[in-house]
């Protein structure tokens, strides 16, 4: 922000730039370690699925719930997790959830029953639903809004991408020794982060006057869990199956009941007025476009490269690695760009880069595609799009929000990302499963890539149209 008034009064009222002390760096390191663990865990387990199925005798249907069980707990409870941190204290909620994550990881690496393994994945997703928004709200309340927060968010996003990229490669290596190591490896890392968090994260007070909205908590949690369950199970059961339709209706009824409750209770769990802020609404829709298209495309690439082109898991990981490296090395500079240009231009650049990446892949993929011609340029464009988009969207989703509602804003944007990604991935899975893809022909994946391209283009339009309107209005008002 540029300050044009240089009078003494203005200088006194302007906040001083925040000093980055060693303790502040330590808090950021703990928060980044937890985000890194989340990305690491998801990608490592994904690589290990074939080995898990072979040892425990799990069918493909059962195997998908090792992934979807995590998504169910994570996406279904994110909003509750973020608001609970505001009401009960961020430090307390963060540390308890991190301890649960470590225990669930340990149990998951020791069980010999597929059903129990799926339960541990649900519990880990539940724990992540509390650690993820709480970590982001601790970050946004610890670092002052402006350059300090933008810089911290940039570093934060680096570790998320690094965790996912590292997990692909580390998962391939650990699986060669046994799939259980993909569950056990996060345990000591989580315990180390827990000890550091106890020592470094400052104590905070719960939000004043929060009250207890029990009906809101029950209807929100039930509605979100049922909605996510319906989305991830619909491709297998069928979108028009009676049980799917009933589940959708029941989830909608619970969520409508939640909205009615929040408008009537004295101390609502979630202040719905936050959804009237245009920048926050656009940030939440943008994260749907970012996560939904990016994660769905990576899902299709894992099938295409391994099942169609015959690549090994390690070869696949190395092939997708450039995108993760660009995010890891490019994200630290995004904070400076946000300070200079604001979030809207960067989000538009992100959606443009993502759209070009998908379109390029569609235009050049076919029988026996050349890596340097087809895959590498797409990975570069997608990595740049994610690097620009993630930090910018997170900054826009939490800017201007009071500290007492930072957990709510953080949980809201992360819920949008997870549920949006689950919805897009479910549709993509149905499209890919319904198409034949034999030999080196990419044709069976065209419907899925067409969908993710359309999602990115819609995300671009949602951000570009308001900017054009603002520019026209400014031009008209100019004398």
């Amino acid at each position: 922000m540029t300050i044009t008034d240089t009078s003494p009064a203005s200088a006194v009222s302007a906040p001083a730039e925040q000093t980055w002390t060693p303790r502040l760096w330590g808090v950021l390191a703990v928060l980044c370690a937890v985000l890194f663990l989340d990305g690491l865990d998801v990608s490592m387990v994904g690589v290990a699925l074939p080995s898990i199925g072979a040892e425990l005798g799990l069918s493909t249907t059962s195997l998908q719930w090792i992934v979807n069980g995590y998504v169910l707990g994570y996406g279904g409870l994110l909003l509750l997790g973020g608001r609970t941190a505001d009401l009960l204290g961020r430090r307390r909620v963060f540390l308890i959830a991190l301890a649960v994550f470590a225990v669930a990881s340990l149990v998951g690496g020791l069980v010999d029953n597929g059903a129990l393994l799926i339960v541990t994945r649900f519990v880990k997703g539940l724990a992540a639903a509390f650690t993820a928004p709480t970590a982001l709200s601790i970050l946004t309340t610890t670092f002052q809004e402006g350059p300090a927060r933008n810089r911290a968010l940039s570093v934060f996003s680096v570790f998320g991408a690094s965790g996912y990229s590292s997990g692909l490669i580390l998962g391939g290596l650990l699986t060669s020794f046994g799939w259980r190591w993909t569950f056990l490896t996060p345990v000591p890392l989580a315990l180390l982060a827990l000890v550091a968090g106890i020592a470094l994260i400052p104590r905070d007070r719960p939000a004043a006057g929060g009250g207890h909205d029990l009906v809101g908590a029950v209807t929100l949690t039930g509605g979100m869990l049922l909605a996510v369950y319906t989305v991830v199970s619909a491709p297998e059961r069928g979108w028009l199956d009676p049980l799917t339709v009933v589940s959708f209706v029941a989830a909608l009824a619970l969520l409508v009941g939640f909205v009615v409750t929040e408008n009537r209770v004295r101390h609502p769990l979630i202040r719905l007025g936050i959804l009237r802020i245009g920048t926050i609404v656009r940030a939440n829709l943008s994260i749907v476009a970012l996560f939904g298209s990016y994660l769905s495309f990576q899902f299709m690439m894992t099938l295409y490269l391994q099942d169609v082109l015959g690549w090994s898991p390690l070869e696949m990981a190395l092939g997708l690695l450039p995108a993760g490296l660009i995010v890891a090395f490019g994200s630290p500079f995004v904070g400076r760009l946000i300070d200079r240009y604001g979030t809207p231009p960067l989000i538009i650049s992100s959606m443009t880069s993502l759209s070009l990446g998908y379109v390029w892949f569609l235009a050049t993929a076919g029988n026996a595609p050349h890596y340097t011609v087809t895959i590498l340029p797409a990975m570069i464009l997608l990595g740049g799009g994610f690097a620009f988009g993630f930090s910018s969207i997170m900054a826009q989703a939490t800017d201007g929000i009071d500290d007492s509602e930072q957990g709510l804003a953080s949980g809201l944007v992360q819920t949008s990302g997870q549920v949006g990604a689950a919805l897009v991935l479910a549709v993509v899975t149905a499209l890919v499963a319904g198409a034949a893809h034999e030999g080196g022909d990419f044709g069976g994946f065209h419907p899925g890539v067409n969908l993710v391209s359309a999602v990115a283009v819609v995300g671009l339009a949602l951000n570009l149209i308001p900017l054009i309107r603002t520019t026209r209005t400014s031009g008209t008002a100019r004398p």
Side-chain angles (χ1 to χ4, degrees), residues 348-359:
I348 290 172
S349 299
S350 166
M351 296 300 157
T352 301
S353 186
L354 289 172
S355 300
L356 291 175
Y358 303 135
V359 171

Side-chain angles (χ1 to χ4, degrees), residues 102-445:
V103 172
S105 296
L106 177 63
V107 175
L110 299 177
V111 298
D112 287 314
N113 181 275
L116 289 177
L117 185 62
I118 293 171
V119 170
T120 65
R121 292 293 294 167
F122 174 78
V123 173
K124 288 183 76 170
L126 185 151
F130 286 84
T131 58
T134 306
L136 185 56
S137 63
I138 290 174
L139 184 151
T140 55
T141 53
T142 301
F143 295 87
Q144 292 177 359
E145 186 174 331
R149 183 182 297 178
N150 294 338
R151 182 184 180 189
L153 283 170
S154 297
V155 176
F156 191 64
S157 63
V158 167
F159 279 83
S162 300
Y164 189 86
S165 301
S166 303
L168 289 172
I169 298 175
L170 189 59
L173 294 175
L174 290 175
T175 302
S176 62
F177 296 102
W179 64 264
R180 296 181 186 277
W181 287 107
T182 63
F183 285 80
L184 296 174
T185 298
V187 176
L189 300 177
L191 292 176
L192 182 62
L194 179 63
V195 172
I198 293 173
L200 295 172
I201 297 177
R203 298 182 182 275
D204 61 312
R205 293 182 178 181
H212 298 284
D213 179 14
L214 181 60
V215 175
V218 171
T219 52
L220 173 65
T221 303
M224 291 299 297
L225 282 173
L226 190 55
V228 176
Y229 169 79
T230 306
V231 166
V232 298
S233 62
E236 174 194 351
R237 185 184 299 120
W239 292 94
L240 297 179
D241 182 86
L243 186 56
T244 301
V245 175
V246 170
S247 295
F248 267 125
V249 172
L252 181 61
L254 285 169
L255 294 175
V256 169
F258 168 73
V259 172
V260 172
T261 300
E262 299 309 277
N263 283 322
R264 293 183 176 181
V265 297
R266 183 177 180 183
H267 298 293
L269 183 69
I270 294 177
R271 183 178 64 84
L272 298 179
I274 197 173
L275 298 177
R276 299 191 190 100
I277 305 174
T279 54
I280 291 180
V281 172
R282 286 195 295 275
N284 279 267
L285 293 175
S286 297
I287 202 71
V288 172
L290 178 68
F291 276 11
S293 65
Y294 188 85
L295 296 180
S296 296
F297 184 77
Q298 285 204 329
F299 168 77
M300 286 186 286
M301 288 298 291
T302 60
L303 294 178
Y304 179 54
L305 296 179
Q306 293 187 83
D307 294 347
V308 176
L309 299 186
W311 290 22
S312 69
L314 186 57
E315 288 174 330
M316 179 210 68
L318 293 174
L320 302 181
L321 186 60
L325 292 177
I326 290 173
V327 176
F329 289 100
S331 293
F333 301 99
V334 175
R336 300 177 189 174
L337 296 176
I338 295 175
D339 295 336
R340 184 170 182 179
Y341 301 107
T343 55
L346 293 180
I347 297 175
I348 290 172
S349 299
S350 166
M351 296 300 157
T352 301
S353 186
L354 289 172
S355 300
L356 291 175
Y358 303 135
V359 171
W360 177 265
F361 195 87
L362 273 172
T364 59
N367 292 332
H370 199 283
Y371 178 78
T372 56
V373 174
T374 299
I375 300 174
L376 182 59
M379 291 299 104
I380 292 173
L381 287 167
L382 298 184
F386 198 95
F388 279 122
F390 183 80
S391 298
S392 303
I393 292 170
M394 290 299 176
Q396 183 167 300
T398 55
D399 276 354
I401 302 298
D402 188 82
D403 283 357
S404 64
E405 292 187 325
Q406 281 292 333
L408 168 59
S410 302
L412 184 63
V413 69
Q414 292 183 74
T415 297
S416 297
Q418 290 298 319
V419 175
L423 178 59
V424 177
L425 181 57
V427 178
V428 165
T429 301
L431 291 173
V432 172
H437 46 277
E438 299 179 356
D441 186 14
F442 181 74
F445 291 91

Side-chain angles (χ1 to χ4, degrees), residues 86-108:
D86 289 334
L87 298 178
L88 300 182
R90 299 179 186 91
R91 181 179 185 272
R92 178 190 305 172
V93 171
F94 178 79
L95 295 176
I96 292 175
L98 183 55
V100 172
F101 183 93
V103 172
S105 296
L106 177 63
V107 175

